[in-house]
Amino acid sequence: MANTEASLKEALTTIDGALGAALVDYTSGMALGTVGGGKDLDLTVAAAGNTDVVRAKVRTMELLGLKDEIEDILITLGTQYHLIRLLRGRGNNGLFLYLALDKARSNLAMARHQLIKIEAGLEI
């Protein structure tokens, strides 16, 4: 089991094209940990903005009466992928991993696979 900082660093170093990663509490919109990012990718702002995305999707599913769980949400930009992975189990409801990827340097399927492995080893 790895702590938040170690898990986020693992995401940045093992996922090709990773630009930044964060663990976010979507009940508050606060980033509980961040790595990477920079002047063009403010992970604190991204955490708050992506919280709105998650809340909107959860609410939409409730309105539709869908009895399912969100695994992840993908936002595709011109040059980047933004992957939001909701955490499940071990009392992690209300948290998500956020990963920003350089579209030209990443393999989305492999990034998603690696993020699942990181989630499994995350200790909060």
Side-chain angles (χ1 to χ4, degrees), residues 17-94:
L19 302 171
L23 177 65
V24 183
D25 176 349
Y26 71 80
T27 58
S28 68
M30 291 184 58
L32 305 177
T34 62
V35 295
K39 70 177 185 71
D40 294 331
L41 179 61
D42 183 330
L43 291 170
T44 304
V45 172
N50 286 310
T51 292
D52 292 337
V53 170
V54 171
R55 287 178 185 163
K57 188 59 189 173
V58 167
R59 184 164 189 270
T60 300
M61 288 178 62
E62 289 170 356
L63 291 171
L64 292 171
L66 297 176
K67 305 289 186 230
D68 210 342
E69 293 183 351
I70 299 168
E71 287 185 18
D72 50 41
I73 298 169
L74 172 64
I75 300 168
T76 304
L77 305 178
T79 60
Q80 295 177 355
Y81 294 122
H82 292 230
L83 187 58
I84 300 166
R85 176 141 187 98
L86 277 71
L87 302 187
R88 296 288 175 223
R90 300 186 320 271
N92 293 334
N93 286 340

